[in-house]
Amino acid sequence: MDEETERAKRWEGGYERTWEVLREDESGSLRASVEEILFQSKRKRVIKSHEQVRLGMMRHLYVVIDCSRTMEDQDLKPNRLTSTLKLMEAFVDEYFDQNPISQVGIITTKNKRAEKLTDLAGNPKKHITALKKAVVDTVCGGEPSLYNALNLALQALKHMPGHTSREILIVLSSLTTCDPANIYELIKTLTSLKVRVSVIGLSAEVRVCTVLTRETGGLYHVILDESHFKDLLMMHVKPPPASSSSECSLIRMGFPQHAIASPSDQDAKPSFSMSHLDSSSSDAGLSLGGYFCPQCHAKYTELPVECKVCGLTLVSAPHLARSFHHLFPLQAFTESPVEELQQGDRFCQACQGELKDKLTFTCPSCRSVFCVECDLFIHDALHCCPCCIHTHTAR
Amino acid sequence: MKLNIDGLLVYFPYDYIYPEQYSYMLELKRTLDAKGHGVLEMPSGTGKTISLLSLIIAYQRAFPLEVTKLIYCSRTVPEIEKVVEELRRLMEFYSKETGESNNFLALALSSRRNLCIHPEVSALRFGKEVDGKCHSLTASYIRAQRHSDPNLPACRFYEEFDAVGRQVPLPAGIYNLDDLKDFGRRKGWCPYYLARYSILHANIVVYSYHYLLDPKIADLVSKELSKKSVVVFDEAHNIDNVCIDSMSVNITRRTLDRCQTNVDTLQNTIQKIKETDAAKLKEEYRRLVEGLKEANVARETDVYLANPVLPDEILQEAIPGTIRTAEHFVGFLRRFLEYLKSRLRIQHVVQESAPQFLKDIFDKVCIDRKPLRFCAERLQSLLRTLEIVDIADFSAVTLISNFATLVSTYSQGFTIIIEPFEDRTPTIANPVLHFSCMDPSIAIKPVFQRFQSVIITSGTLSPLDIYPRILDFRPVTIASFTMTLARTCLCPLIVGRGNDQVALSSRFETRDDIAVVRNYGNLLLEMSAIVPDGIVAFFTSYVYMENIVASWYEQGILENIQRNKLIFIETPDAAETSMALEKFQEACENGRGAILLSVARGKVSEGIDFVHHFGRAVIMFGVPYVYTQSRILKARLEYLRDQFQIRENDFLTFDAMRHAAQCVGRALRGKTDYGLMIFADKRYARADKRGKLPRWIQEHINDGSLNLTVDEAVQLSKHFLRQMAQPFRQEDQLGLSLLTLEQLESEEMLQKIAQIAHQT
């Protein structure tokens, strides 16, 4: 019997007290209080994002993924590594959806070393294929090295221009790190270079991460379970507030038009996209249409991209528009206790469900009342109040 | 904020208050009102010190005639400093609120080693050396000699203090040790003597236990303190041991050899003096005939602390004729010494009571009880007369004479055990005479009798009712307070079985069982994989730890643990341990993670706090029973049974559990802190053990966590650590475990507070 099947047996894994989640809360106030705390932090996140702050629209983010021995732990299904990589795929997708003109790179760390999985790039496809490959290929082992990973990321990030954000997001499963030098020196360097480091812990709170995130102004969270993990990861999709000291500059951007030569046109010849030059995959076929760089006329099939020839950032207008809601967010709804409403009116305007929680949320402009869930949905996904839109169109 | 505690206006220097602090102050107020003694238990990290200080100072201001002084006894110098800092904060708050500078004088007192500013003397490293050197510069006859010979060295700080220092009292204010030194340097006065002089009129004195409990020091320092003082013993869970240690004497062959040299020196000095200055000895003789009348006069005015070494009746009598002249006394000492030497020349263990010893000494060398009783006093007098410069050299003979006085004074509560060798090394002859005190109430009795209120407080005093019994006093309040928590930040788990269902226990019969050792190793290994940063593991003794670690090494467990965390070990050597501790903290700090293996009752378990990341988990391997084969302990148990009707087992369990509670309490030092407390022994699940843990730990042990296997414990711990890592802000505590003034005054909260104090 080989080791693969050996590990997969259910009784080999740890106890799971799934029933404890469902336990009624009469003895310990633990669960209720923690949930309360989580709920409040959720609210806080929504409220906080509506302060008038400057947000960095061009982000450079390195994601560090711990691939040490502890990632084989099966408390996330099927194990921590696979679960993390899967969520990471979703994260990359969402990240480029919300931050179209930003870049991401992925670093893995194991066996006391750190290596790049992908370089900083603006193309989600490349990252996702790399992540998919990693799910199959990666063998976990040894200890991670926080120092090496941070250093590797720093080498690339420190050359990035000052008007962009420099961020590192670490997904750390291990509780120990094996460092070749004093990490506190490195933290000082990171702070001076304005690199913001955030950490998501998969097992427990580690001191060095607390210090690291506090000094560099990042966030530190520890997951409770898979869905919480996802929430925490998605939190990093939103751009962080730019520090007031960061430079402002004008950047050149190209807005290429999509042009398709009609097949009837005799002059039209299929051509390669420039971005496929370096990719070895064979599916990069010839095509007739594409985006043409307004400066040098190189052809690309996908946006956003940095022109290989002249280095111009090419985006489409909708991409920029999608970053728009970060700049003009929906106002926070006012909280009020449910008792203020009359007995018959306790229904959410959006989902029509009964208001059971002790708090309700009112849109300040149209005075409609919503439940917590809808409030979160409206602020996270819709970015506009459905009732306001409704009255607007009706008028 | 300003509080109304049962009609008393109390200034509290913080904006928020824990409900248990309020409750604590209520109980304290009741104790002071009744002018009685109290035993109060409140978890560490809930602000005991500030509650004590705020209330007692408020009381002192409100009723200046009822309570004139607060004597705050703590254990170590850092703790003393901490108390003074809290006090400073409180006083700043007072002057800010009332707008007037108050005339409170508070000061800390410590040994000469910590207070000396003489450039040469303070450079010495050991306390004894400093004391001896200081004495050689400042003793009265040295200074008298200097009048005739001004070239003799002097301490200018003391001279300055002696000349003018006593005329003006120390200006009001708060003085910690450094402030005293600064003040001393500025004025050119000796800070030590200044502090000793100033405690007489200070409102608050903060010093070590020994200044009240050790009869030798208490006599010097504390005897003139006012009767209307409130005495607080903080961290007092070990107070009985402190009392016993201060009254016990151990005599080895080395002590006797050094004593022999001392006696020879005395003899020579007497000879010399006799040739030069016979009048001096005559003068002394005359004084001794008069008896200790002067001392007697002082005691009659009822301001002195009764000295347990020198009971009242001695003072009524004159020194007996047999030891009145110096030569006779030295001869007497010689005989006594020879007798002790002969007693140490034995092959088997002897245990006898004080009367038996006295009878034997009378039969063998014809020494009567009476001269023995005066031995200590007579020696002091002789040393004074002979103008011995360096008292420290004579520690051996002082020890012997103290022993002589004690053994002839107390027929009850002491035992004499002579062992030819140590139990661990039966082949090496190393005879020791233990004169051991078995009754802690002897040393502390004068304190209880003299002062109107004595408060005994600590984080771990459970079970509370045993302290009044062994210290023999009647408290007016006994209360235990719990910790109100917004989140359950402590997680006590009792691990009773290994994964293979082998019962885990450090019982003598199973402690060498390979299965138990392996399972203990397994527990540590699994915990090292899931607990972040620091873990502290306690064993029951050094020997046990060595055995276990050795077999873990053989089984390869140690190697596996080291993949997760570094391992540090406490040793009996203090320097080595402090080095290990330093590296341990460094490893926790930079994320490598570390485990500290230490022993219950060791230095680490008593004095070192593992806040936040330094101690995320404490594992207690086994129940830390004291070494029960020791004869001293056996004698004490017997005494407790006969005198106080405390069964052996009750006392042993009580002692083990208070140490276990001390150990696990190291991890949790406040409400924002969190930590796992793992009791790895199935015996902890039994009601008699569990019931002796402090209430604030007990109430978090639910039935589900009584007899866990290792991996059940791991699952619970994982869950706990993740919950605790969620962000926790002050607002979450407000209203539950942290109160503003308005919240405190609400009717509902006052009712809740009434339930916090658990009266027994």
Side-chain angles (χ1 to χ4, degrees):
Chain A
M1 205 186 284
D2 65 344
E3 213 191 293
E4 270 308 308
T5 51
E6 189 82 24
R7 198 190 302 148
K9 280 183 182 140
R10 294 289 288 118
W11 59 86
E12 300 271 292
Y15 283 106
E16 284 152 44
R17 306 182 140 211
T18 40
W19 60 90
E20 290 215 327
V21 182
L22 300 171
R23 188 179 56 186
E24 270 184 54
D25 187 30
E26 83 273 287
S27 60
S29 60
L30 180 85
R31 242 201 114 66
S33 72
V34 169
E35 247 156 35
E36 175 78 18
I37 291 164
L38 281 182
F39 168 74
Q40 275 173 7
S41 70
K42 236 185 216 170
R43 278 295 304 162
K44 192 164 187 184
R45 178 156 54 99
V46 175
I47 295 164
K48 208 172 160 190
S49 61
H50 297 304
E51 287 160 10
Q52 283 295 327
V53 286
R54 232 168 50 155
L55 298 167
M57 298 230 332
M58 290 187 78
R59 303 171 65 188
H60 290 111
L61 173 70
Y62 257 113
V63 181
V64 177
I65 301 175
D66 178 2
C67 289
S68 66
R69 193 157 35 91
T70 51
M71 284 301 265
E72 289 173 349
D73 202 316
Q74 295 182 344
D75 54 358
L76 301 178
K77 299 295 161 222
N79 64 15
R80 282 185 185 174
L81 182 73
T82 317
S83 175
T84 307
L85 292 177
K86 286 280 176 224
L87 283 175
M88 201 48 75
E89 281 175 33
F91 171 77
V92 170
D93 255 342
E94 188 79 1
Y95 177 84
F96 282 109
D97 191 53
Q98 305 264 329
N99 309 284
I101 47 178
S102 302
Q103 299 190 2
V104 155
I106 301 173
I107 291 173
T108 60
T109 168
K110 65 180 173 190
N111 285 332
K112 301 164 191 155
R113 278 189 216 101
E115 47 197 46
K116 269 184 194 155
L117 196 65
T118 56
D119 275 317
L120 271 185
N123 190 339
K125 266 197 185 156
K126 217 172 97 189
H127 299 300
I128 289 173
T129 35
L131 284 170
K132 282 204 167 115
K133 214 165 138 256
V135 173
V136 188
D137 295 349
T138 315
V139 185
C140 301
E143 295 132 4
S145 173
L146 217 48
Y147 186 93
N148 288 341
L150 287 173
N151 204 23
L152 190 64
L154 185 64
Q155 294 313 321
L157 284 177
K158 70 177 169 196
H159 301 298
M160 293 300 152
H163 61 270
T164 63
S165 78
R166 300 162 180 168
E167 296 167 58
I168 301 174
L169 171 65
I170 303 174
V171 179
L172 192 70
S173 153
S174 173
L175 293 171
T176 169
T177 149
C178 192
D179 298 335
N182 186 358
I183 194 158
Y184 287 90
E185 297 293 317
L186 188 67
I187 293 177
K188 264 183 218 150
T189 323
L190 287 168
T191 321
S192 65
L193 289 172
K194 298 198 184 62
V195 181
R196 184 176 186 268
V197 187
S198 298
V199 180
I200 296 178
L202 298 191
S203 26
E205 183 188 356
V206 181
R207 172 69 179 180
V208 71
C209 297
T210 318
V211 177
L212 176 65
T213 51
R214 195 181 55 211
E215 295 295 311
T216 58
L219 300 167
Y220 184 30
H221 291 285
V222 175
I223 64 160
L224 287 172
D225 50 29
E226 223 147 327
S227 61
H228 188 220
F229 186 14
K230 193 172 173 194
D231 286 347
L232 292 178
L233 209 52
M234 291 312 160
M235 223 162 89
H236 291 277
V237 166
K238 284 221 175 90
S243 58
S244 52
S245 59
S246 68
E247 309 162 24
C248 303
S249 63
L250 296 169
I251 4 170
R252 286 164 66 88
M253 270 190 195
F255 293 90
Q257 295 255 313
H258 193 253
I260 300 179
S262 66
S264 57
D265 193 344
Q266 288 302 310
D267 296 338
K269 297 179 191 72
S271 57
F272 288 106
S273 155
M274 293 300 282
S275 59
H276 292 140
L277 278 181
D278 52 346
S279 76
S280 53
S281 56
S282 56
D283 64 319
L286 296 165
S287 63
L288 282 172
Y291 299 97
F292 293 91
C293 172
Q295 197 162 267
C296 64
H297 266 271
K299 190 182 100 167
Y300 296 93
T301 47
E302 275 176 343
L303 291 181
V305 78
E306 192 176 315
C307 179
K308 295 267 177 201
V309 182
C310 58
L312 191 66
T313 311
L314 303 180
V315 289
S316 69
H319 280 142
L320 274 187
R322 246 187 292 155
S323 303
F324 183 76
H325 72 255
H326 293 314
L327 302 180
F328 301 99
L330 185 62
Q331 275 176 292
F333 291 175
T334 46
E335 271 178 56
S336 51
V338 75
E339 284 80 29
E340 283 182 14
L341 290 174
Q342 282 173 9
Q343 197 66 47
D345 289 347
R346 293 187 182 170
F347 292 98
C348 169
Q349 293 277 0
C351 62
Q352 303 299 323
E354 202 180 334
L355 293 168
K356 289 182 193 120
D357 293 324
K358 54 181 186 288
L359 287 178
T360 61
F361 299 89
T362 315
C363 171
S365 56
C366 69
R367 315 302 308 167
S368 312
V369 182
F370 300 97
C371 64
V372 189
E373 302 297 327
C374 292
D375 173 62
L376 282 177
F377 177 70
I378 289 167
H379 282 96
D380 285 351
L382 287 184
H383 304 296
C384 59
C385 168
C387 296
C388 291
I389 299 287
H390 186 69
T391 49
H392 198 68
T393 45
R395 212 184 293 147
Chain B
M1 66 172 104
K2 291 181 211 166
L3 301 169
N4 175 6
I5 308 275
D6 200 10
L8 178 71
L9 174 68
V10 173
Y11 287 80
F12 191 75
Y14 296 93
D15 291 337
Y16 304 103
I17 184 170
Y18 294 142
E20 55 269 34
Q21 287 181 316
Y22 185 79
S23 177
Y24 189 89
M25 287 197 250
L26 277 178
E27 290 299 327
L28 197 57
K29 164 96 176 8
R30 253 171 241 163
T31 319
L32 295 186
D33 280 342
K35 294 196 171 51
H37 311 313
V39 180
L40 304 171
E41 178 190 55
M42 185 156 88
S44 44
T46 49
K48 251 193 316 281
T49 309
I50 192 65
S51 320
L52 271 168
L53 293 174
S54 313
L55 187 96
I56 296 178
I57 287 170
Y59 204 91
Q60 234 174 323
R61 285 170 62 99
F63 310 103
L65 295 177
E66 303 286 315
V67 172
T68 52
K69 195 189 285 282
L70 164 63
I71 305 171
Y72 196 105
C73 304
S74 202
R75 282 192 313 186
T76 57
V77 174
E79 273 168 22
I80 290 172
E81 298 271 350
K82 245 186 327 198
V83 174
V84 178
E85 285 323 300
E86 288 278 14
L87 197 57
R88 196 188 304 275
R89 201 189 158 108
L90 178 64
M91 282 307 161
E92 270 161 22
F93 184 72
Y94 259 107
S95 50
K96 204 178 83 191
E97 285 293 308
T98 55
E100 57 192 63
S101 63
N102 43 50
N103 48 0
F104 254 69
L105 175 62
L107 57 95
L109 176 65
S110 183
S111 64
R112 288 186 178 86
R113 190 167 74 97
N114 295 320
L115 278 176
C116 184
I117 53 172
H118 189 277
E120 284 163 37
V121 180
S122 59
L124 295 170
R125 277 184 56 216
F126 297 103
K128 261 192 186 154
E129 289 176 2
V130 177
D131 289 353
K133 186 85 181 164
C134 180
H135 189 260
S136 71
L137 292 176
T138 57
S140 55
Y141 45 83
I142 303 287
R143 298 180 55 232
Q145 277 177 18
R146 204 174 299 119
H147 282 300
S148 52
D149 180 8
N151 290 332
L152 285 172
C155 173
R156 65 188 166 89
F157 298 105
Y158 181 76
E159 297 300 327
E160 192 71 18
F161 168 72
D162 196 47
V164 287
R166 289 196 180 86
Q167 289 156 11
V168 235
L170 194 61
I174 317 289
Y175 297 87
N176 65 13
L177 300 179
D178 283 336
D179 297 335
L180 282 172
K181 276 160 112 171
D182 281 348
F183 185 80
R185 280 204 193 92
R186 247 182 300 134
K187 295 269 186 180
W189 296 349
C190 172
Y192 174 74
Y193 282 100
L194 176 68
R196 257 180 60 177
Y197 173 70
S198 302
I199 62 172
L200 296 180
H201 57 262
N203 302 80
I204 299 159
V205 182
V206 187
Y207 60 29
S208 149
Y209 282 11
H210 297 283
Y211 289 115
L212 268 186
L213 293 182
D214 194 331
K216 287 152 253 164
I217 318 177
D219 194 35
L220 282 176
V221 179
S222 312
K223 64 178 177 185
E224 283 176 61
L225 294 181
S226 145
K227 201 172 157 46
K228 286 182 178 167
S229 305
V230 175
V231 179
V232 175
F233 289 104
D234 198 0
E235 302 289 333
H237 46 270
N238 262 345
I239 194 165
D240 54 327
N241 290 337
V242 177
C243 294
I244 284 178
D245 287 347
S246 68
M247 299 286 281
S248 297
V249 179
N250 291 331
I251 298 170
T252 61
R253 195 168 269 172
R254 247 187 93 219
T255 328
L256 293 183
D257 289 343
R258 280 175 46 217
C259 191
Q260 184 74 51
T261 347
N262 289 163
V263 172
D264 290 343
T265 326
L266 283 180
Q267 174 98 49
N268 293 339
T269 328
I270 291 171
Q271 212 59 44
K272 230 181 282 166
I273 288 203
K274 214 170 177 189
E275 285 157 15
T276 55
D277 194 4
K280 202 183 258 171
L281 289 173
K282 285 228 182 71
E283 165 66 14
E284 187 198 21
Y285 184 85
R286 193 193 55 74
R287 248 199 352 251
L288 294 176
V289 176
E290 301 247 316
L292 302 167
K293 244 180 224 156
E294 282 166 59
N296 199 14
V297 168
R299 188 165 292 191
E300 265 165 8
T301 55
D302 191 34
V303 284
Y304 281 14
L305 190 62
N307 181 352
V309 172
L310 199 67
D312 278 326
E313 51 270 27
I314 290 191
L315 297 172
Q316 317 287 340
E317 306 169 38
I319 299 245
T322 41
I323 56 173
R324 237 177 260 166
T325 61
E327 292 107 321
H328 290 173
F329 179 60
V330 171
F332 170 83
L333 274 182
R334 253 182 222 289
R335 254 188 313 163
F336 185 55
L337 200 57
E338 284 309 319
Y339 173 72
L340 287 180
K341 275 187 184 165
S342 74
R343 289 306 302 265
L344 281 185
R345 236 173 276 128
I346 48 156
Q347 299 303 320
H348 58 276
V349 180
V350 177
Q351 179 177 358
E352 59 189 18
S353 65
Q356 277 171 317
F357 181 84
L358 289 177
K359 183 166 184 317
D360 191 57
I361 197 170
F362 184 70
D363 290 346
K364 296 250 174 67
V365 287
C366 295
I367 289 183
D368 214 352
R369 178 160 170 235
K370 204 171 166 198
L372 272 182
R373 289 174 73 177
F374 288 92
C375 197
E377 202 65 16
R378 181 67 187 86
L379 182 71
Q380 290 306 321
S381 157
L382 183 65
L383 289 177
R384 266 200 302 275
T385 317
L386 296 183
E387 299 176 354
I388 301 288
V389 175
D390 204 347
I391 288 280
D393 282 347
F394 286 84
S395 61
V397 71
T398 317
L399 188 77
I400 299 288
S401 65
N402 278 343
F403 165 66
T405 307
L406 282 171
V407 77
S408 50
T409 309
Y410 294 99
S411 52
Q412 281 272 313
F414 287 85
T415 189
I416 295 164
I417 296 171
I418 308 172
E419 288 178 315
F421 45 74
E422 274 180 50
D423 272 347
R424 279 175 205 136
T425 52
T427 47
I428 304 163
N430 178 25
V432 186
L433 185 147
H434 302 280
F435 177 68
S436 103
C437 171
M438 294 183 298
D439 190 351
S441 66
I442 292 176
I444 205 169
K445 186 171 266 161
V447 179
F448 281 125
Q449 280 174 351
R450 167 114 183 274
F451 298 109
Q452 65 177 18
S453 285
V454 178
I455 312 291
I456 290 183
T457 185
S458 173
T460 49
L461 280 177
S462 292
L464 291 169
D465 54 332
I466 206 158
Y467 283 90
R469 278 162 82 191
I470 57 178
L471 296 180
D472 195 22
F473 70 104
R474 195 158 295 152
V476 292
T477 38
I478 302 185
S480 169
F481 303 87
T482 55
M483 183 150 45
T484 48
L485 292 171
R487 55 169 194 177
T488 9
C489 63
L490 72 168
C491 179
L493 302 172
I494 297 175
V495 181
R497 292 168 290 152
N499 287 340
D500 46 7
Q501 304 299 325
V502 172
L504 289 180
S505 175
S506 69
R507 278 173 58 202
F508 187 70
E509 296 83 43
T510 60
R511 62 166 50 177
D512 295 324
D513 188 347
I514 202 82
V516 172
V517 175
R518 189 188 58 232
N519 273 313
Y520 271 153
N522 226 353
L523 174 65
L524 189 60
L525 175 60
E526 301 259 329
M527 282 298 158
S528 72
I530 60 153
V531 177
D533 302 322
I535 299 181
V536 191
F538 288 100
F539 294 86
T540 52
S541 68
Y542 284 113
V543 186
Y544 186 51
M545 175 165 79
E546 273 165 31
N547 290 343
I548 280 205
V549 172
S551 54
W552 282 352
Y553 177 74
E554 281 161 19
Q555 294 172 2
I557 292 173
L558 228 46
E559 196 184 338
N560 285 333
I561 293 176
Q562 273 180 320
R563 275 203 264 166
N564 297 325
K565 290 190 191 305
L566 304 180
I567 298 178
F568 297 93
I569 297 182
E570 183 194 5
T571 61
D573 185 275
E576 232 170 67
T577 304
S578 64
M579 183 74 176
L581 208 59
E582 195 179 300
K583 293 291 167 196
F584 168 83
Q585 286 174 344
E586 199 182 313
C588 292
E589 198 68 52
N590 63 26
R592 185 66 185 86
I595 297 177
L596 184 67
L597 304 180
S598 43
V599 292
R601 300 160 195 277
K603 180 179 169 232
V604 170
S605 74
E606 280 295 329
I608 316 284
D609 288 349
F610 295 92
V611 275
H612 294 290
H613 57 289
F614 294 129
R616 282 297 180 217
V618 176
I619 307 177
M620 184 74 235
F621 291 111
V623 184
Y625 278 114
V626 65
Y627 175 63
T628 48
Q629 298 305 307
S630 140
R631 288 186 186 80
I632 301 176
L633 180 74
K634 277 183 179 163
R636 186 169 174 209
L637 289 176
E638 212 167 285
Y639 184 82
L640 283 174
R641 193 191 52 207
D642 295 347
Q643 298 293 317
F644 299 116
Q645 287 77 47
I646 298 171
R647 284 186 301 150
E648 283 105 330
N649 229 339
D650 278 352
F651 181 77
L652 286 176
T653 314
F654 150 74
D655 187 58
M657 293 316 282
R658 72 171 161 184
H659 280 103
Q662 256 313 292
C663 291
V664 296
R666 297 287 108 197
L668 198 72
R669 311 310 295 180
K671 293 193 173 183
T672 52
D673 203 354
Y674 63 88
L676 283 162
M677 300 173 169
I678 297 171
F679 299 90
D681 194 310
K682 69 161 196 223
R683 289 175 289 172
Y684 283 109
R686 295 222 293 260
D688 66 319
K689 307 279 187 306
R690 196 156 39 105
K692 289 195 168 70
L693 284 173
R695 200 161 74 102
W696 55 277
I697 296 181
Q698 230 180 92
E699 63 182 11
H700 291 288
I701 304 179
N702 51 5
D703 292 342
S705 56
L706 277 185
N707 192 14
L708 302 166
T709 64
V710 170
D711 40 356
E712 281 168 341
V714 166
Q715 288 307 316
L716 283 175
S717 312
K718 256 186 182 174
H719 187 71
F720 171 75
L721 288 169
R722 280 191 178 154
Q723 297 275 9
M724 286 302 119
Q726 301 312 315
F728 184 63
R729 289 158 298 134
Q730 199 185 36
E731 298 93 86
D732 302 326
Q733 282 196 49
L734 266 182
L736 274 173
S737 59
L738 195 66
L739 304 175
T740 59
L741 189 58
E742 296 84 65
Q743 283 166 331
L744 181 70
E745 279 165 354
S746 73
E747 199 58 39
E748 178 194 14
M749 189 48 76
L750 287 175
Q751 270 179 10
K752 260 194 206 164
I753 285 172
Q755 292 165 7
I756 290 174
H758 184 260
Q759 306 273 346
T760 46

